[in-house]
Amino acid sequence: MFAHPIRSIVQALRAPLIVLLAAAFCQAQDGPYQVRLQHNVMVPMRDGVRLATDVYLPAQDGQPAADQWPAILMRTPYSKGSGEKGHTDGHYFARWGYAVVFQDTRGRYESEGTWHMLVDDGPDGFDTAAWIAQQQWSNGKIGTIGTSYVGGTQHALAMTRSPHLSTVIPVDAMSNLGYASMRNGGAFELRFWNWIMLNAGRGSQYARDPGLQAVLGEMAAQRFPYLLNLPLRAGTTPLRLAPAYEQWLVEALGHGINDDFWRQNNIIDFADQYKDIPVYLVGGWYDSWGSNTTANFAALTKAIRGPVYLIMGPWIHGAQGQSAHGQVSFGPAAAIPDPRAWRRQWYDHWLKGIDNSVGRDEPFRTKVRIFVMGSGDGGKDKNGRLEHGGTWRDEREWPLARARAVNYYLGPGGGLSDQAPAGEAGSTSFQFDPRNPVPTIGGNISSNNDIMLQGAWDQRGGPHIWNGLDPLPLSARNDILVFQTEPLAEAVEVTGELAVRLWVSSSAVDTDFTAKLIDVYPSSPSWPGGFDLNIGDGIQRLRFRESLQQEVPAEPGKIYPITVKLYPTSNVFKKGHRIRVDISSSNFPRFDVNPNTGEPLNQHRRHAVAVNTVHHDADHPSHIVLPVVPQ
């Protein structure tokens, strides 16, 4: 797809080889080989921009082993490592017989050029793979590694169909940016506002100037007041000193339509462009990209032969080696004991042809492996966390064919039942003041640095919530509608994709509706006040109710059907618990706050209080669709 005359290999190999002989460091890496590191090879791209690249090669007796190796490639905006010591992952895989290539992406850290959000990473990845294939130490096979943005660079490369790419392991990877995790139901996920505010002055080409770095660093330190003064207008903040970052953020905040602006890594609509290779998709029920990970599995399973594997744990972003987060423990089995060795099993099988656990033993016995949360005893662990627990289960598809879609209907007085409403009238209204938004307490979040908490939390304010300092449960707020079942007579397993279908009206021409699924623990000796455990959430901006491809103002007072997509899950609501759905119009700063004025996105100057209504009668049976797995 991308033709490229690779420049002279000699030019790219000018950097000296560095032999790492630190005994303690080497012993920690295991593996039969030593490592030679070639630091800051400047690899040329098709437009002449050179990207800083470190190459780790297996060595014996201080010299590169005379062999050709499969390569593991990581392209990162977060620094490939610097100096003679390099990156620990580079040493680990080189000691196990891989040529490891770690590269700073365009405009980041030691690479030349100007950073753009992902759009250069397809062509640059393609050119880097072509360069690798021409090296004398390469056997022409390339696997990729990395999490988050770095997982996104893997998807970008796979969508170029590089002839040298043999397998990928995108972990919590950026994709489908216009559907969820960056824009979500038309709203903007402010963690990417946070990402820009932090990274404009950290690792960018602008941060190489000490004066600019100091100014941008001061801006980042003042993120809270900047956050409360959105929208962001070009040229009005110190971000103007990093124009590439300001331009992208201003455009992204104002670009709600899911079109070509968000096309990079759009696997949902363009899965046929993905290279037909073995793909291992790794995600978590509390990861910021979790809904895209399962959506990618569904799309790629249909589009390529693969094979395509999926593992979903109870993890937050990038935390596959951990068994607890937030205020909740899922038990020691939830953690992957050795995340490097786990990946190496996959690479050994597909890059070296080794007959190992892939396709035979856990965690690769079946193509789908999920962690079913909720089998814990509900007590407290030694760190004071809720013991929610859970178990691993092998599956053969996603979504599960045996899961039964059960509608739980919102009812008068805050009821939630699998019985459809019979009455002709029923609605609940609330006032949504955008100047007093509902605070975010956990959820599917990354790049949260300081402004949000990730993962599983009791839905109660306190000193850990900067915009919800009072120790009040969210259910006490007048702008949150709470609908919950009676205590369950028996356990209910919910495993699959989640959606809340509402009939709504508003006094405004545009507003938001949010939904959150909660596992309500009853009072117990460990938790006398109970525990309101967040399971999944989502949002829908009313102007995008008909389609993410167009904006349509609402007619005040008119009733519209909308769907709020929540992130997927697998959770057992135990006997005696309640299933709860919270409906509101804000979740800040997880999502940008709708001013209710209908002004163009990121250009509003006014705020208005909206009266928002959820209808729940026989003609407007608002409900959550729960994929219930039979006992």
Side-chain angles (χ1 to χ4, degrees):
M1 184 176 178
F2 293 101
H4 172 38
I6 300 295
R7 289 177 173 79
S8 170
I9 296 174
V10 176
Q11 176 187 13
L13 293 175
R14 288 176 179 172
L17 286 174
I18 302 169
V19 183
L20 297 182
L21 298 175
F25 185 81
C26 290
Q27 289 172 1
Q29 304 305 300
D30 300 318
Y33 295 98
Q34 298 171 321
V35 181
R36 284 178 73 95
L37 166 61
Q38 190 172 358
H39 180 58
N40 267 1
V41 179
M42 300 305 291
V43 176
M45 301 293 102
R46 66 191 65 181
D47 60 356
V49 170
R50 300 180 305 159
L51 304 186
T53 306
D54 288 353
V55 179
Y56 303 76
L57 296 175
Q60 293 175 321
D61 301 323
Q63 297 297 319
D67 209 340
Q68 291 182 318
W69 311 97
I72 295 177
L73 171 64
M74 178 180 76
R75 305 189 61 259
T76 176
Y78 302 121
S79 179
K80 59 180 173 51
S82 58
E84 295 185 359
K85 191 170 184 179
H87 196 291
T88 55
D89 284 355
H91 287 273
Y92 174 85
F93 287 104
R95 289 183 63 81
W96 283 103
Y98 290 93
V100 183
V101 180
F102 284 0
Q103 184 179 77
D104 290 332
T105 55
R106 181 177 292 246
R108 298 291 298 167
Y109 287 89
E110 297 177 284
S111 283
E112 298 173 350
T114 299
W115 169 86
H116 301 102
M117 179 66 78
L118 277 181
V119 296
D120 295 315
D121 288 304
D124 287 353
F126 186 96
D127 293 352
T128 301
W131 176 85
I132 290 171
Q134 290 195 357
Q135 306 310 301
Q136 61 182 6
W137 39 258
S138 170
N139 73 357
K141 292 184 177 180
I142 299 173
T144 56
I145 192 170
T147 299
S148 192
Y149 195 120
V150 191
T153 66
Q154 297 187 61
H155 282 320
L157 174 57
M159 295 187 83
T160 69
R161 295 182 179 172
S162 164
H164 312 293
L165 184 63
S166 299
T167 189
V168 294
I169 308 181
V171 178
D172 299 339
M174 292 178 67
S175 59
N176 312 318
L177 313 181
Y179 279 102
S181 304
M182 190 171 287
R183 290 221 79 99
N184 194 316
F188 186 76
E189 299 215 9
L190 286 172
R191 60 197 184 87
F192 272 96
W193 172 91
N194 203 37
W195 192 96
I196 291 291
M197 294 291 280
L198 289 167
N199 286 288
R202 187 171 62 191
S204 72
Q205 65 267 43
Y206 311 106
R208 295 166 190 164
D209 180 300
L212 291 183
Q213 183 183 42
V215 173
L216 293 169
E218 180 183 39
M219 176 191 70
Q222 298 298 318
R223 293 193 313 289
F224 290 101
Y226 279 115
L227 190 60
L228 294 173
N229 281 280
L230 292 174
L232 178 74
R233 295 180 175 84
T236 62
T237 72
L239 194 59
R240 68 183 183 277
L241 302 173
Y245 294 75
E246 182 190 60
Q247 179 183 356
W248 180 83
L249 183 56
V250 170
E251 287 189 49
L253 283 164
H255 202 102
I257 293 175
N258 185 16
D259 58 13
D260 282 349
F261 182 84
W262 303 108
R263 177 164 176 170
Q264 182 60 56
N265 287 19
N266 181 352
I267 297 169
I268 290 176
D269 294 326
F270 302 102
D272 58 324
Q273 295 181 5
Y274 212 92
K275 188 177 183 186
D276 193 355
I277 52 175
V279 178
Y280 190 23
L281 300 171
V282 180
W285 303 132
Y286 288 94
D287 174 49
S288 55
W289 298 95
S291 65
N292 287 302
T293 301
T294 58
N296 291 339
F297 177 81
L300 291 175
T301 298
K302 296 175 182 177
I304 66 175
R305 292 169 297 173
V308 182
Y309 277 60
L310 170 72
I311 184 170
M312 295 292 290
W315 307 309
I316 57 173
H317 195 65
Q320 292 78 33
Q322 300 176 20
S323 61
H325 53 73
Q327 293 174 305
V328 177
S329 170
F330 299 93
I336 299 293
D338 188 342
R340 287 183 182 133
W342 166 52
R343 290 169 170 85
R344 183 164 56 85
Q345 284 285 303
W346 183 267
Y347 297 132
D348 282 353
H349 186 80
W350 297 111
L351 296 178
K352 294 184 176 181
I354 296 175
D355 183 13
N356 57 19
S357 64
V358 176
R360 187 180 66 201
D361 303 318
E362 296 178 354
F364 305 104
R365 185 163 52 203
T366 57
K367 290 183 179 179
V368 177
R369 186 167 171 83
I370 61 173
F371 191 88
V372 184
M373 304 182 292
S375 61
D377 62 13
K380 282 187 179 179
D381 70 6
K382 63 181 180 180
N383 295 310
R385 293 188 175 105
L386 171 72
E387 292 188 312
H388 191 56
T391 56
W392 286 103
R393 193 168 72 203
D394 290 337
E395 298 285 355
R396 298 189 180 278
E397 77 254 329
W398 183 272
L400 307 187
R402 69 183 184 280
R404 183 167 57 95
V406 179
N407 296 341
Y408 279 75
Y409 296 92
L410 284 54
L416 186 69
S417 168
D418 59 0
Q419 299 300 308
E424 296 180 358
S427 64
T428 309
S429 300
F430 61 96
Q431 284 191 334
F432 163 40
D433 184 351
R435 289 159 294 194
N436 181 28
V438 175
T440 297
I441 303 179
N444 299 80
I445 293 161
S446 60
S447 298
N448 56 298
N449 311 63
D450 302 331
I451 70 170
M452 285 179 282
L453 298 172
Q454 295 173 281
W457 291 82
D458 190 8
Q459 296 300 286
R460 179 182 297 269
H464 55 300
I465 308 297
W466 68 272
N467 58 336
L469 297 173
D470 295 328
L472 301 178
L474 288 185
S475 57
R477 288 182 61 115
N478 285 330
D479 57 355
I480 296 179
L481 307 185
V482 175
F483 299 90
Q484 59 185 344
T485 65
E486 295 297 320
L488 297 173
E490 59 182 22
V492 176
E493 181 189 327
V494 174
T495 296
E497 306 292 331
L498 303 173
V500 177
R501 306 194 191 285
L502 302 175
W503 277 259
V504 300
S505 58
S506 176
S507 64
V509 296
D510 186 47
T511 191
D512 291 345
F513 284 90
T514 63
K516 184 182 296 181
L517 177 64
I518 295 172
D519 185 347
V520 180
Y521 272 75
S523 175
S524 69
S526 295
W527 305 97
F531 195 104
D532 299 339
L533 172 61
N534 58 307
I535 299 297
D537 62 39
I539 192 169
Q540 180 61 47
R541 186 148 290 174
L542 198 54
R543 70 175 72 185
F544 294 107
R545 66 192 177 278
E546 296 183 4
S547 168
L548 292 177
Q549 280 69 49
Q550 61 178 340
E551 300 182 44
V552 181
E555 179 182 333
K558 184 175 180 180
I559 300 175
Y560 297 101
I562 67 169
T563 298
V564 183
K565 293 184 178 180
L566 280 58
Y567 281 60
T569 196
S570 182
N571 184 70
V572 174
F573 294 80
K574 297 184 79 172
K575 179 180 179 180
H577 290 211
R578 296 175 188 258
I579 300 173
R580 184 172 118 197
V581 177
D582 286 0
I583 306 296
S584 191
S585 290
S586 56
N587 185 354
F588 175 78
R590 174 144 161 63
F591 306 113
D592 64 335
V593 179
N594 196 318
N596 297 331
T597 60
E599 295 168 88
L601 299 178
N602 199 48
Q603 297 182 41
H604 66 272
R605 293 279 186 177
R606 298 176 290 113
H607 296 83
V609 175
V611 176
N612 291 340
T613 302
V614 176
H615 300 265
H616 42 76
D617 55 50
D619 292 330
H620 309 98
S622 294
H623 59 274
I624 183 170
V625 184
L626 294 181
V628 174
V629 176
Q631 291 287 318

